[in-house]
């Protein structure tokens, strides 16, 4: 079978794909047997603890480790001096894991110890004395961007490190043609991915220079390569096994503790386990950027959008790389506009280095643009759905970030929203209804997988992308579909870094698309080999054999008259027909297929307290093809609720002293079950021509629309336009009071 | 400080262990007894991932001392299935795809079982408030609530 690039997948009928089987790792996860990052123990293992600074910006004058080293039961103490000097590339990542002479955020690691028990390690950590010279700091994005702001680190001249520009046409001219112009500014605070499992790892590095790491990560190949570069080792010397992972959402796409665990293990000669506590997870891992965004859009009186301009300032911590460029690219991606310009400005601040969070950088940009669009609709007196249907991007639209769209599903999601009973349901007194759209690029990337046909006709499948939300089920379904065998016959594992070629991290909604593509290709290669074995048995050319319903058949009457040979039979005979049968695939997957969604939100604001209750919520999104619809719905629901949390409550609160004031789930409040209604979902399937089954990534887009959809509903309920996220009760109440 | 010797019952099995006076029950279960099905999400009583029962009462094991287990009956996720037979709640969580990453699942199952013992016929709102102490970041709770309601219906019928 050829590995075709453009797939005609509109008419394909599926047997396994699209069904809802129980996931292969399900039993282990409901019985407590599944092993996550912190669940691993090794013989002789000791425990690491990291010492963190309580300053937003300071020079490290001196670190005295003698008292800790003298404590009985302490096996190793490390500081930055214990890591090899870095040549570019990895230096930012190591700097974030272990400060190099200068503390750049509250919670920055300065030293680490390893001791024979957790309690001893904590005691030893407290004995490490660090002398600081405190320096001026800045944590707010707008403050940091001002001329004369305190510099985030020594040796730089400005906190603005990069500017990116996207667009086409002539916006100045566009605005002169506009009959109505809306110009507004918006801000969003930083949020945390909030995965329930803290970062955890066990690392061993012996005197022979060979290392093993067990950790919870979205990309164990990334962990291997990063650690090898930082420690001055070869990739082959480090084997990384990905544990089950308790959530990531982008936050586990880098390293925080693994290099430190290796350095401690090297010194101690023992396996070292490090588990971050929740406070440190908040202070020193993965928040998003905070942002400040100016939007200007212009339209004709009939609702035709003629120009749009955005200036986006994002801070993503003390190292730059706020990925504001994704925000600038995504800002106007839902609209067909002749004149569009988005400028992204990357600003440093004394905060932890940003990590990706679900559709990274897009939710803030969409909040600003979608809110401005909703204000424009009010100015024009136009229905916000009709306005979007009039201006939405379609196949053939030149996107705001460059490429021209192929087949996309935005218009379909808007039509579906219009037809949805939620949109036409009468709104109870006191409630408001909001709407917003969202976009994400989706990625493919480097992927390798391997599929073995066992002699009993079952199949072992190895993939290299950690399974973060049921992807093994989807992989088994796609393999079973391609082979024409039942789902139950395939078992998928996430193989370690020694067992497969390189795999990019599980991110950008790439896994079901790219790993799925690799799995299908692996299965197709195995099918080719199975057909060869059948041809050999029948003594006919391999081209004269075709694969149907899990068996080799002679292709047409000329090929001969043979009884089909099933996969079971071919597998059973494989030993005598040439040995084991397997299929492999190594690709750099392209053609991920962009994704769009439309959300409808009903909300009610309590005018006495400013608290917002979401009363009804609907997610409509194009999935290309839903391999396992339950998990597609789950992605829609989970992403939407993370967006609701961001909209209503979640935020990093820094004090005047530059310290994080709410580093815990009590004060950083993520949505709980009693905050929410059921989240209705509607999956649309507009097949992606870049995937044999039509798959598009689905995980990122659902977090993009909620911020603006909730804000729109709040306006409907209490009359106030909230232009700062989060719209927490005190802020909404203040807005209501100011207006009355 | 010298360690304490504790005799207790975990999932029906008699168990003895030594622990520090300030060591949490969660750490004892995970680190000393190898029962890693009980998860640590926060260590401060805010996430519910460490939910277990002590004499039938639902608690956060990170807020209970190991020493407090003396003479009590401790129930953890590992004791929920009876041999090969899953509890109805476990079965329903699989059928409804009520887990994504699964890190919150043991705590939520233990909490839901405690709910259904107390209230076999809860409303959706009652389920939502009972589980308000169990954070799930992946699912948006929708499928979890459906699975618990469905399990309640089936258990009442059985
Ligand atoms: S670990 Fe006990 S409540 Fe979070
Ligand atoms: S399934 Fe991941 S936290 Fe609930």
């Amino acid at each position: 079978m050829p590995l075709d690039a453009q797939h005609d997948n509109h008419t394909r009928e599926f047997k396994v794909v699209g069904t809802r089987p129980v996931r292969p790792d399900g039993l282990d996860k409901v019985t407590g047997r599944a092993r996550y990052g912190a669940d691993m123990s090794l013989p002789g293992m000791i425990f690491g603890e990291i010492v963190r600074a309580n300053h937003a910006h300071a020079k490290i004058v001196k670190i005295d480790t003698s008292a800790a080293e003298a404590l009985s039961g302490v096996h190793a103490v490390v500081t930055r001096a214990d890591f090899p000097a870095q040549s570019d590339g990895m230096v930012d990542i190591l700097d974030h894991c272990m400060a190099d002479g200068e503390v750049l955020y509250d919670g920055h690691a300065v030293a680490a110890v390893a001791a024979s028990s957790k309690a001893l390690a904590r005691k030893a950590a407290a004995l490490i004395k660090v002398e600081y010279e405190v320096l001026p700091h800045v944590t707010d994005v707008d403050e940091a961007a001002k001329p004369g702001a305190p510099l985030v680190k020594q040796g730089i001249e400005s906190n603005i490190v990069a500017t990116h520009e996207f667009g086409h046409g002539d916006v100045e001219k566009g605005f002169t043609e506009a009959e109505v112009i809306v110009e507004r500014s918006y801000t969003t605070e930083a949020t945390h991915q909030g995965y329930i499992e803290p970062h955890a790892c066990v690392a061993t590095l012996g005197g022979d220079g060979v290392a093993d790491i067990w950790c919870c990560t979205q990309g164990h190949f990334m962990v291997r390569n990063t650690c090898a570069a930082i420690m001055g080792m070869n990739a082959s010397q480090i084997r990384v096994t990905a544990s089950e992972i308790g959530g990531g959402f982008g936050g586990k796409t880098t390293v925080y503790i693994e290099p430190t665990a290796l350095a401690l293990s090297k010194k101690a000669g023992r396996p070292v386990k490090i588990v971050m506590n929740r406070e440190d997870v908040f202070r020193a891992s993965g928040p998003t950027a905070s942002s400040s965004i100016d939007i200007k859009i212009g339209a004709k009186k009939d609702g035709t959008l003629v120009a749009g301009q955005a200036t986006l300032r994002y801070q993503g911590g003390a190292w730059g790389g706020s990925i504001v460029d994704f925000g600038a690219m995504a800002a106007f991606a839902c609209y067909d506009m002749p004149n569009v310009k988005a400028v992204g400005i990357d600003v440093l601040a004394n905060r932890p280095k940003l990590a990706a969070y679900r559709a990274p950088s897009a939710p803030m940009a969409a909040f600003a643009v979608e809110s401005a669009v909703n204000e424009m609709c009010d100015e024009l007196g136009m229905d916000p759905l009709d306005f979007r249907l009039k201006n939405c991007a379609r196949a053939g639209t030149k996107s705001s970030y460059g490429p021209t769209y192929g087949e996309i599903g935005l218009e379909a999601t808007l039509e579906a929203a219009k037809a949805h009973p939620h949109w036409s349901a009468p709104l109870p007194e006191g409630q408001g209804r909001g709407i917003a759209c969202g976009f994400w690029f989706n990625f493919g990337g480097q992927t390798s997988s391997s599929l073995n046909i066992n002699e009993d006709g079952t199949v072992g499948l190895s993939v290299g992308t950690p399974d973060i939300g049921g992807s093994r089920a989807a992989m088994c379904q796609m393999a079973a579909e391609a082979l024409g065998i039942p789902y139950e016959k395939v078992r998928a594992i996430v193989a370690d870094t020694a067992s497969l070629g390189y795999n990019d991290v599980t991110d950008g909604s790439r896994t079901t698309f790219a790993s799925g593509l690799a799995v299908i290709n692996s299965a197709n290669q195995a099918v080719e080999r199975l057909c060869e074995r059948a041809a050999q048995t029948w003594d006919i050319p391999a081209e004269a054999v075709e694969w149907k319903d899990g068996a080799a058949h002679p292709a047409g009457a000329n090929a001969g008259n043979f009884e089909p040979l099933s996969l079971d039979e071919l597998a059973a005979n494989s030993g005598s027909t040439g040995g084991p049968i397997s299929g492999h695939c190594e690709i750099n997957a392209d053609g991920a297929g962009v994704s769009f969604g439309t959300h409808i939100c009903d909300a009610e604001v309590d005018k006495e307290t400013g608290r917002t209750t979401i009363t009804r919520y609907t997610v409509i999104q194009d999935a290309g093809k839903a391999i396992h619809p339950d998990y597609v719905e789950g992605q829609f629901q989970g992403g939407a609720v993370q967006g609701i949390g961001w909209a209503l409550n979640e935020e990093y609160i820094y004090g005047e002293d530059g310290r994080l004031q709410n580093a815990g789930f009590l004060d950083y409040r993520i949505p709980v079950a009693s905050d929410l209604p059921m989240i209705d979902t509607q999956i649309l399937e507009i097949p992606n021509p870049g995937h044999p089954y039509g798959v598009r990534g689905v995980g990122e887009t659902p977090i993009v629309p909620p911020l603006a959809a909730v804000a729109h509903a709040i306006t409907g309920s209490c009359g106030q336009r909230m232009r700062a996220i989060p719209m927490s009760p005190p802020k909404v109440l203040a807005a209501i009071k100011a207006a009355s | 400080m010298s360690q304490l010797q504790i005799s207790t019952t975990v999932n029906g099995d008699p168990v003895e262990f030594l622990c520090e006076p300030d060591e949490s029950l969660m750490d004892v279960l995970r680190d000393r007894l190898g029962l890693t099905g009980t998860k640590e999400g926060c260590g401060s009583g805010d996430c519910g991932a460490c939910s277990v029962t002590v004499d039938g009462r639902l608690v956060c094991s990170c807020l209970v001392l190991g020493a407090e287990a003396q003479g009590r009956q401790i129930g953890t996720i590992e004791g929920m299935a009876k041999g090969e037979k899953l509890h109805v709640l476990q079965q329903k969580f699989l059928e409804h795809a009520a887990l994504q990453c699964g890190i919150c699942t043991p705590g939520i199952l233990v909490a839901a079982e405690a709910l259904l013992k107390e209230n076999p016929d809860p409303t959706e709102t009652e389920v939502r408030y009972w589980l308000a102490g169990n954070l799930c970041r992946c699912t948006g709770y929708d499928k979890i609530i459906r699975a618990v309601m469905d399990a309640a219906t089936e258990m009442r019928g059985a």
Side-chain angles (χ1 to χ4, degrees):
Chain A
M1 259 181 243
L3 306 180
D4 42 353
Q6 280 300 87
H7 306 272
D8 176 17
N9 40 29
H10 281 255
T11 51
R12 183 175 178 129
E13 286 192 12
F14 295 100
K15 291 207 169 71
V16 188
V17 162
T19 63
R20 303 174 187 242
V22 167
R23 62 198 272 173
D25 52 327
L27 186 89
D28 280 356
K29 287 184 174 161
V30 298
T31 53
R33 290 207 295 249
R35 288 195 306 167
Y36 293 81
D39 298 340
M40 179 63 146
S41 292
L42 288 177
M45 185 176 83
I46 57 176
F47 300 86
E49 183 79 19
I50 293 174
V51 182
R52 296 180 185 278
N54 291 325
H55 299 292
H57 189 195
K59 213 171 125 189
I60 300 172
V61 179
K62 190 170 150 213
I63 304 180
D64 180 0
T65 59
S66 55
E69 277 161 332
L71 187 70
S72 153
V74 171
H75 291 259
V77 179
V78 298
T79 65
R80 180 60 179 259
D82 293 279
F83 292 88
Q86 300 296 307
S87 57
D88 42 288
M90 297 295 156
V91 66
D92 281 7
I93 296 176
L94 178 58
D95 277 357
H96 190 263
C97 293
M98 190 62 72
D100 188 11
E102 189 180 5
V103 167
L104 298 177
Y105 64 94
D106 169 42
H108 203 164
V110 292
V113 300
S116 55
S117 75
K118 281 195 216 171
L120 263 177
R122 278 197 292 269
K123 194 169 163 190
L127 290 174
I128 292 178
K129 294 278 166 281
V130 187
E131 206 181 296
Y132 297 103
E133 179 189 324
V134 177
L135 299 168
H137 68 269
V138 60
T139 55
D140 178 78
V141 60
D142 285 326
E143 291 301 321
K146 282 183 187 156
L151 292 172
V152 163
K153 52 186 161 188
Q154 295 181 309
I156 57 170
E157 268 153 30
S158 162
N159 295 326
I160 295 179
V161 286
T163 304
H164 312 266
E165 192 176 318
F166 301 92
H168 56 253
D170 179 344
V171 281
E172 295 311 326
K173 191 170 139 276
F175 284 119
T176 60
E177 288 162 14
E179 290 165 327
V180 183
I181 289 180
V182 168
E183 195 170 0
R184 302 281 186 271
S185 294
Y186 300 88
T187 59
T188 66
E189 237 326 322
T191 54
H192 194 275
Q193 295 80 355
Y195 32 80
I196 306 301
E197 178 199 32
H199 300 268
C201 73
V202 181
T204 117
L205 174 49
D208 55 0
V210 174
D212 268 285
I213 301 173
W214 160 279
C215 62
C216 52
T217 176
Q218 290 174 246
H220 42 315
F221 291 89
M222 171 279 298
V223 172
R224 180 194 66 185
N225 290 5
T226 309
C227 287
I230 285 175
M231 302 300 290
M233 298 169 69
N234 298 325
S236 64
Q237 290 172 298
I238 305 180
R239 182 177 61 155
V240 184
T241 306
S243 69
E244 294 296 336
I245 174 171
F249 316 109
K252 290 176 181 166
T253 56
T254 184
V255 298
Y256 294 109
I257 51 176
E258 292 81 358
T260 305
L262 280 176
L264 286 167
S265 176
K266 185 177 182 191
K267 231 174 173 177
R270 306 266 290 264
V272 173
K273 178 173 186 167
I274 299 182
V275 180
M276 280 173 88
N277 63 38
R278 179 55 56 181
E279 187 184 342
D280 291 348
V281 169
F282 276 112
R283 287 168 81 208
S285 79
T288 64
S290 61
S291 77
S292 161
I293 303 174
D294 307 324
I295 300 288
K296 184 176 176 186
I297 51 174
K300 297 276 192 198
K301 284 215 175 89
D302 70 354
T304 309
L305 265 177
V306 289
Q309 186 174 328
T311 305
L312 308 95
R313 292 166 295 275
Y314 284 28
Q315 74 70 31
W319 284 268
S322 69
I323 44 179
V324 64
D325 42 336
F326 285 169
M329 290 162 84
F332 291 109
C334 291
Y335 296 95
D336 185 358
M337 296 165 112
N339 306 295
V340 57
K341 179 171 154 185
V343 179
I345 301 168
D346 189 353
V347 185
L348 301 183
N350 291 110
R351 295 200 190 196
K353 185 174 165 59
L354 137 154
Y357 179 22
R358 219 167 188 152
S361 291
M364 310 79 147
F367 165 60
V369 170
E370 291 296 284
S371 294
V373 163
N374 286 334
E375 293 202 37
M376 172 65 86
C377 294
D378 287 349
E379 299 259 333
L380 294 168
M382 227 177 136
D383 176 272
L385 254 180
D386 291 338
F387 180 88
R388 286 175 169 84
L389 276 164
K390 191 175 177 77
N391 292 293
C392 71
R394 299 172 166 84
T397 296
K398 183 170 172 55
S399 71
S400 56
Y401 61 97
T404 298
Y405 291 126
E407 255 181 296
I408 57 171
L410 176 57
E411 187 176 15
T413 67
L414 288 163
E415 294 286 5
K418 203 168 174 181
H420 198 283
H422 183 173
W423 188 244
S424 48
L427 204 52
E429 177 70 26
Q431 295 191 12
R433 179 163 296 155
I435 186 155
C437 298
F439 155 88
W440 184 245
F441 309 90
N442 290 333
F443 292 133
Q446 297 187 66
T447 311
S448 151
S449 71
S450 176
L451 180 151
N452 295 316
I453 311 276
N454 302 319
E455 282 184 312
D456 63 358
T458 60
V459 170
L461 178 61
S462 298
V463 297
T465 40
D467 175 356
I468 203 158
S471 65
R472 266 166 295 188
M475 298 304 145
C476 291
Q477 284 179 279
M478 285 186 267
E481 186 76 47
L483 293 168
I485 60 173
Y487 167 81
E488 293 71 26
K489 287 205 167 185
V490 187
R491 178 173 178 193
I493 62 148
V494 178
D496 65 44
T497 56
S499 309
L500 281 177
Y502 180 81
N503 276 267
D504 280 330
V505 296
T506 292
D507 73 352
S509 281
R510 75 176 213 89
T511 293
T512 306
F513 168 74
S515 223
L517 194 59
V519 164
I520 294 166
N521 289 350
S522 301
N524 288 343
Q525 195 182 67
V527 163
E528 260 180 61
R529 306 232 164 108
L530 288 159
C531 288
E532 281 162 19
R533 301 292 171 90
Q536 183 186 327
T537 310
W538 294 329
D539 201 16
I540 62 173
E543 306 79 65
V545 179
E546 66 178 359
W547 191 259
K548 266 198 322 233
D549 301 330
H553 297 253
N558 292 344
N561 192 9
F562 304 102
E563 280 298 300
L565 275 169
S566 69
L567 185 142
D568 281 356
E569 293 165 294
L570 290 162
N573 296 332
S574 59
S576 56
T577 57
I581 300 171
S582 56
H584 307 276
C585 177
E586 292 79 30
I587 44 168
N588 194 347
D590 220 346
V594 295
S595 145
F596 292 91
T598 297
H599 291 197
I600 312 170
C601 171
D602 292 358
E604 177 160 14
V605 176
D606 180 332
K607 277 101 190 159
E608 316 252 285
T609 62
R611 183 181 198 273
T612 301
T613 304
I614 305 296
T615 51
R616 185 167 180 184
Y617 203 97
T618 302
V619 179
I620 302 162
Q621 190 180 312
D622 171 21
K625 175 72 199 170
I627 301 296
H628 192 308
D630 278 348
Y631 291 104
V632 173
E633 291 163 7
Q635 290 293 320
F636 289 7
Q637 293 164 333
V641 166
Q642 286 184 318
I644 290 170
W646 197 338
L648 290 179
N649 270 306
E650 297 178 33
E651 64 177 317
Y652 266 46
I653 303 172
Y654 280 92
E656 288 288 306
D657 57 2
R659 284 152 85 163
L660 184 61
Q661 297 188 330
N662 60 335
F665 278 135
L666 191 60
D667 298 316
Y668 181 99
R669 194 175 180 287
I670 72 172
V672 304
S674 54
D675 292 339
L676 296 159
M678 292 297 186
I679 308 292
D680 291 338
T681 58
Q682 188 177 347
I683 302 173
L684 303 184
E685 296 189 324
I686 293 116
N688 169 17
H691 186 280
Y693 299 164
V695 169
R696 298 175 195 266
V698 298
E700 317 276 310
T701 305
I703 201 175
V704 181
L707 280 63
V710 173
H712 196 201
I714 287 177
T715 306
S717 171
C718 73
Q720 303 310 311
R721 293 200 189 274
M722 303 302 296
R723 300 194 186 99
I725 294 285
M727 300 169 284
S728 52
K731 289 191 198 154
V732 175
L733 191 60
I736 294 173
K737 286 209 166 128
S740 65
Chain B
M1 267 188 300
S2 57
Q3 298 199 332
L4 305 171
Q5 185 181 350
I6 306 298
S7 307
T8 185
T9 306
V10 180
N11 300 328
D13 294 338
V15 168
E16 302 222 346
F17 59 84
L18 292 173
C19 71
E20 302 289 340
D22 62 353
E23 196 170 335
S24 71
L25 176 59
M26 176 184 73
D27 281 346
V28 166
L29 290 168
R30 289 182 50 81
D31 299 342
R32 296 188 187 266
L33 304 181
L35 295 171
T36 54
T38 298
K39 301 300 178 195
E40 174 169 12
C42 67
S44 55
D46 299 314
C47 78
C50 64
S51 298
V52 302
T53 54
V54 176
D55 288 345
R57 197 165 73 91
L58 181 65
V59 297
C60 293
S61 62
C62 68
L63 298 182
V64 175
L65 292 172
E68 292 179 82
Q70 174 66 37
R72 308 290 186 99
Q73 302 273 343
I74 310 296
T76 74
I77 185 64
E78 286 90 347
M80 200 165 181
K82 297 295 166 244
E84 275 198 337
K85 197 167 161 32
L86 293 180
H87 188 281
V88 178
L89 275 163
Q90 292 171 310
Q91 194 57 47
K92 292 296 175 193
F93 267 56
L94 292 178
E95 282 170 21
H96 286 266
L99 54 143
Q100 282 178 32
C101 80
I103 195 86
C104 67
T105 309
I108 291 185
L109 284 168
V110 168
E113 188 186 19
L115 164 67
L116 299 186
K117 276 200 178 128
E118 195 159 301
N119 178 0
D121 190 8
T123 63
E124 182 194 330
T125 304
E126 284 169 334
V127 176
R128 287 187 178 275
Y129 276 90
W130 183 275
L131 293 180
N134 290 84
L135 301 180
C136 172
R137 189 58 157 171
C138 298
T139 63
Y141 305 102
D142 183 300
K143 292 181 190 300
I144 291 174
I145 305 299
R146 288 177 204 275
V148 173
M149 301 286 289
D150 190 14
T153 307
E154 184 159 321
M155 285 164 71
R156 284 196 309 277

